[in-house]
Amino acid sequence: VEKVKWMFSEGKVSGQIRTVYADYDYKKVGEDDVYATALGGGLKYELASLYGFNGAVAFKTSQDLGFATGDDDKHNPELSSSKGNHTVLSEAYINYKYKNLNLRAGRQVLDTPLADSDDIRMISNTFEAYIATYDFDNLSFMAGNIQKWQGFDAGLDDGWVDAGEDGTNFGGVSYDNETVEFSLWYYNITKG
């Protein structure tokens, strides 16, 4: 019991605050210019590691600022959805690490060539996935199955979206020695 209490007491809280203004000045006749300003960010709590196990939860939110956001046809929905606000449990995972092997299951941030966080707006992409990584010298191996994803690229109004009928299986290997970087990836989106 004391060790479990220690995992919580030694856990780490992190977060960020963001504000973004985005507009489109259309040059076509009949097209309304759209704009929005949003304020938001994220808050994450990660447990300390006990026998290689830990976990984390994170929330992200984005709220349009009405006085600096277009109404109706002039609203830019890219920052906070068409409703003008978006809050999501973006991460909730269990992690196990043993030496160079790491296993993670649940909602998480991924940064691979096809499935990545795309962290350039208010809400970044996150994924429900099962991931294994193994690091050896300058090589890094990653394999897994992605079940769902959410974020701007999935459509903020749509919430969590399936990544294929049986998910997306993928694998990759990366080599990096500070001078040369090379990676090779394979994805199989099952009945997408």
Side-chain angles (χ1 to χ4, degrees):
V1 172
E2 290 302 316
K3 289 182 180 180
V4 172
K5 286 181 183 177
W6 175 85
M7 286 180 76
F8 285 92
S9 66
E10 294 299 312
K12 294 181 183 174
V13 175
S14 61
Q16 60 179 229
I17 296 173
R18 292 182 175 188
T19 185
V20 174
Y21 170 80
D23 72 62
Y24 289 100
D25 185 10
Y26 291 107
K27 304 298 181 195
K28 291 182 181 178
V29 175
E31 291 282 336
D32 288 329
D33 296 343
V34 296
Y35 64 98
T37 305
L39 177 66
L43 184 63
K44 182 175 182 176
Y45 177 74
E46 187 169 12
L47 293 171
S49 180
L50 179 63
Y51 302 119
F53 288 95
N54 77 331
V57 294
F59 293 89
K60 290 205 174 166
T61 190
S62 179
Q63 310 290 320
D64 283 348
L65 301 176
F67 67 89
T69 297
D71 294 325
D72 301 323
D73 292 340
K74 294 188 179 269
H75 177 244
N76 179 0
E78 290 185 358
L79 302 179
S80 301
S81 82
S82 64
K83 298 177 295 192
N85 60 72
H86 187 78
T87 301
V88 66
L89 174 65
S90 57
E91 295 180 70
Y93 62 80
I94 296 172
N95 198 75
Y96 175 72
K97 183 167 179 62
Y98 178 75
K99 296 184 180 178
N100 295 343
L101 175 67
N102 196 81
L103 305 172
R104 182 172 288 180
R107 293 182 177 185
Q108 57 193 285
V109 174
L110 290 178
D111 279 310
T112 73
L114 183 64
D116 70 345
S117 63
D118 192 20
D119 196 19
I120 61 172
R121 292 180 179 85
M122 293 293 287
I123 303 288
S124 57
N125 294 329
T126 55
F127 304 87
E128 287 186 5
Y130 305 95
I131 307 296
T133 57
Y134 185 80
D135 296 319
F136 179 74
D137 290 334
N138 297 329
L139 289 170
S140 181
F141 301 90
M142 180 184 280
N145 176 271
I146 302 167
Q147 291 290 309
K148 296 182 182 219
W149 60 299
Q150 73 81 36
F152 173 76
D153 294 329
L156 291 175
D157 290 327
D158 298 330
W160 289 85
V161 175
D162 287 336
E165 190 173 290
D166 297 318
T168 298
N169 299 311
F170 76 94
V173 59
S174 298
Y175 175 81
D176 186 356
N177 71 358
E178 296 182 21
T179 306
V180 176
E181 185 176 329
F182 173 82
S183 63
L184 180 65
W185 293 87
Y186 171 80
Y187 298 85
N188 179 16
I189 302 172
T190 58
K191 298 180 185 176

